[in-house]
Each structure stands twice: as C-alpha cells, then as structure tokens.
Amino acid sequence: MASVKFAVIDVNDFLSKKQSSEPELAADWAKLEELYNKKLWHQLTLKVQDMVLLPSLQKNDNLIQLYNNFLTTFENKINPLSLVEIVVHVINQYTNKKDAVAFLEKVEAKVKMNDEALALCKVLQGQIYLEHLNDLDATEKIIEDLEGSLEDADGVTPVHGRFYKLASEYYRVRGPMGRYYRAALRYVGCAGGGAALEPTERRACALRLALAAVLAPDVYELGELLAHPILESLEGTPDAWACELVKAVASGDVVAFEKIRAQAPHQELHQADRQLRQKIAILCLMEMAFNRTSSQRKLTFAEIAREARVPHDEVELLVMKALAEKLIRGHIDQVSQTVHVSWVRARALGRSGAGALAKRLDIWCAAASGAADLLANATPDILTL
C-alpha cells in the first residue's frame, strides 16, 4: 500500500523569510519566533492577535499564509475561542467564499469541545451564507441550531452580539418582522446600547427598530424600545418623527399616530393600514384597563369605541383579539355591552407610567393600613362575643 506523505512545515524558515522580506515588521516576526521557540503559547497568542490587525497583513492572502505556515503548528495550544477570534480575520482573505466555509468547518472540528468557540464558528459560517452566498436556508439552520443554546447560556458571552446581529440581518431579509425586532433589540443591547456602533449605523438601526416595533403584528411591548438609548440617535434629525410614532402607538393614541403618519415618508406605514389600526386599538384598550384601579375595570363598548376610534360593532371582535393574544384577561358581557378586565400583560413602563403606578400603590397601602386599623379596633369586640 502506498504511503501517505504529509508536508512538513518549517516554522523558523517561514519566519526568517518574513523578517527579510518585510523589514518594517522584522521586529514583530522576530518576536513571534522567540515566543514560539520558548513555547510561550499564551504570550504568542496575544502577539498573533495584535498582528492580525496590522493593515499590511490584512492585504492579499497574508493571513492565510500565516495560518497555514505558522498557526497550524500550535493551534491546539491556543485557547479555542482565541483561535476562532483570529480566524475571523483570516476568512476575510478568501476570495472564494465556499473555501472560507470549508476552512471554518475544519476549524469547527478542532474547537468543538468549547461551546463558545463552536458557536462563533457557526455564526461566521452563517454570515458568509447570508452576505456572500445568499443561502438563506443554510443561514436559518445555523440560527435555529444556536438559538436555544445561547439563550440558555449563563450571562452574555462575546458570541451573543455576533449571533443576534446575524439573526437580525436574516430576519430583516426573510421575516417575520417581530423576530427581526427582538433580535435587533438584543443585538444593540449586546453592543452597549448601540454605543459601540458607528453613528450612521446606529441611526439607521434605530429607525429600523422603530418601524419594526410599530409594524410587527405580534409586538405589543414597545416600552423597552422607548427606554432604550439608541432612540436618542434620532433626536434632532429628519427621522425624529419615528420616536414620536413609537410613543403614539405604545399609548394607543390614534389621533397622534394619524398626525405623525401623514408626515412620515415610509410607505409601509400606509400599506398596513387595517392591521396597524387594530394594533393601536388593542394597545389603547390595554392602556385604558391599566390606568384604572381593579374596582373600575368594567369598560363599556361605547367607551372603548370612543377611545380606540373603532366602530361600535367592531369592539367585541377587538376585545376577543386581545383575549386571544393573551394581552388581557377578563370576560365580555354581551347583554350589557361591557368588558371586565381582570389582568393586563406586564409591560415596561416609562416615567409617567411608573409614577402613576407608584401613586396607586400608595393608595393601596393606605387602604390596607386603614383595614388593619379597623380590624385592630374591632378585635376586642369580636373576642368578647
């Protein structure tokens, strides 16, 4: 049987040639050689991580050569996540992106014992499938494979931000819009509230989030976005109307919504007219119930029709929709044409909402204290019976 020959890599020869051919980096290549010969793997990893960022090495296939002629000889000594972080820069130099995916699959097999490194490898493959190969099905499979494991992870790892960026870009292309909204909101959260993004990208992301929050038919929780600092990037710009739009929809203010929409340049806001009106009407219903005490949550059809700006004969269907979506709990009295709401889904509250809730808690505490005093005063009489 014929023997299989493997190419032997001469690391010192490779590094010596680099020192002579690239005099401006001679000291760096010499340092790599020194650390390699001393087997100082951690320090060597840190030095490589610095070098892959050098502009002169990020040209042509320099990093691919560095990996094939140097890193492969000690890659098993490198922390798996650090290895993949280095690979992030290497794959950019593959002109054939299918070769880049094949390379990542080989790396994946080498780091499979480390969950974070494995996840990052898959995310990088997903980015190539989505951005370069236009393979949405392959991207979707990677997102589905990773979603559960990353959500179950303890805390936020360095991989989370990259994953949510990939997921948001995928859902932005294929939908549904609700999933895009949730993934994008998590992405900007991992990016320091959007502070790590470039100003132009931050503003564009804020506008997309605002539109998605309004248009997504299954997104009724807009308070988290309203409290998010990324919306500040729209203030004082031609897109400032988007912030006001989110506020109007979140509070179910139909009049304010129509006024803002009339001036908005985005056609999507006009195309989804019926769906949007129903969503705002439901949010208005939730706001009406939330702003009342538990003893006053009997709403008449007439009140709902007036506040939500819906025809009287559509109120019952509106309430049934809210009940079906589990946004409220309660029951409908068709005879008296009233709705009794016993519960409203919890939402992130702004300053005004939190203030109103605090006042109601004060009233409840006072009532509870009064009941306790009444019971204490009546106790002697009860005990003598």
Side-chain angles (χ1 to χ4, degrees), residues 167-383:
S168 65
E169 290 173 349
Y170 167 77
Y171 290 126
R172 183 185 168 196
V173 174
R174 178 171 274 190
M177 195 174 295
R179 288 199 172 187
Y180 162 74
Y181 171 75
R182 295 180 183 92
L185 200 58
R186 290 178 177 181
Y187 165 57
V188 296
C190 293
L197 305 178
E198 292 294 327
T200 304
E201 183 185 358
R202 191 165 185 254
R203 178 179 162 186
C205 186
L207 179 60
R208 289 195 297 268
L209 270 169
L211 289 172
V214 171
L215 292 169
D218 59 340
V219 173
Y220 292 92
E221 172 50 79
L222 283 72
E224 187 177 354
L225 177 60
L226 284 173
H228 204 289
I230 195 168
L231 285 186
E232 295 173 3
S233 62
L234 298 178
E235 294 177 0
T237 73
D239 296 324
W241 58 267
C243 297
E244 300 304 316
L245 183 72
V246 176
K247 292 177 185 177
V249 174
S251 61
D253 191 335
V254 182
V255 175
F257 166 75
E258 290 293 355
K259 183 178 179 181
I260 298 167
R261 183 171 70 160
Q263 302 172 352
H266 287 265
Q267 289 301 312
E268 301 99 310
L269 295 173
H270 300 276
Q271 292 167 354
D273 184 70
R274 181 173 178 79
Q275 174 187 297
L276 260 177
R277 285 180 179 275
Q278 184 184 64
K279 177 175 177 176
I280 297 171
I282 289 175
L283 285 164
C284 179
L285 171 63
M286 293 173 68
E287 196 73 13
M288 290 174 67
F290 175 79
N291 289 331
R292 299 192 180 199
T293 62
S294 57
S295 60
Q296 298 176 328
R297 285 187 181 160
K298 181 181 284 188
L299 309 174
T300 67
F301 282 19
E303 289 174 327
I304 297 172
R306 182 176 65 253
E307 294 292 328
R309 302 293 198 278
V310 295
H312 191 278
D313 58 358
E314 293 183 12
V315 169
E316 188 173 355
L317 289 174
L318 181 74
V319 176
M320 290 173 65
K321 172 72 173 176
L323 290 168
E325 294 286 344
K326 297 182 179 175
L327 300 171
I328 61 172
R329 292 177 192 159
H331 62 269
I332 302 171
D333 187 333
Q334 293 176 320
V335 177
S336 62
Q337 293 199 320
T338 58
V339 180
H340 183 270
V341 181
S342 59
W343 174 88
V344 180
R345 182 194 285 182
R347 295 178 293 164
L349 298 176
R351 288 180 179 272
S352 60
L357 186 60
K359 289 180 181 178
R360 286 164 61 182
L361 283 173
D362 289 340
I363 294 171
W364 179 87
C365 288
S369 178
D373 292 341
L374 178 63
L375 183 60
N377 294 331
T379 299
D381 297 332
I382 295 173
L383 292 176

Side-chain angles (χ1 to χ4, degrees), residues 47-176:
K47 182 62 180 175
V48 171
Q49 286 179 320
D50 289 337
M51 288 196 68
V52 295
L53 299 176
L54 296 175
S56 58
L57 289 185
Q58 291 188 344
K59 298 176 182 178
N60 304 319
D61 65 343
N62 288 325
L63 294 180
I64 297 176
Q65 291 184 30
L66 177 67
Y67 188 92
N68 292 335
N69 294 289
F70 182 55
L71 286 173
T72 51
T73 63
F74 67 96
E75 60 188 355
N76 61 331
K77 309 292 185 183
I78 301 176
N79 174 278
L81 185 58
S82 297
L83 176 62
V84 182
E85 290 285 5
I86 293 170
V87 165
V88 168
H89 302 280
V90 176
I91 58 175
N92 290 333
Q93 296 190 343
Y94 278 91
T95 54
N96 186 329
K97 295 305 177 181
K98 289 184 178 179
D99 290 343
V101 172
F103 171 67
L104 283 168
E105 289 173 346
K106 292 179 182 178
V107 174
E108 182 182 323
K110 298 172 185 177
V111 301
K112 61 184 178 182
M113 300 305 292
N114 183 290
D115 291 340
E116 288 183 32
L118 179 62
L120 181 53
C121 239
K122 289 184 175 294
V123 168
L124 294 175
Q125 292 175 50
Q127 288 176 337
I128 294 173
Y129 283 129
L130 181 63
E131 297 171 12
H132 300 283
L133 301 178
N134 196 32
D135 191 338
L136 296 179
D137 291 337
T139 308
E140 181 183 28
K141 186 177 186 307
I142 287 174
I143 291 172
E144 289 177 347
D145 290 345
L146 293 178
E147 199 162 20
S149 60
L150 286 176
E151 288 184 354
D152 293 339
D154 294 330
V156 178
T157 71
V159 183
H160 278 80
R162 287 188 173 102
F163 169 75
Y164 288 125
K165 181 181 181 181
L166 172 66
S168 65
E169 290 173 349
Y170 167 77
Y171 290 126
R172 183 185 168 196
V173 174
R174 178 171 274 190

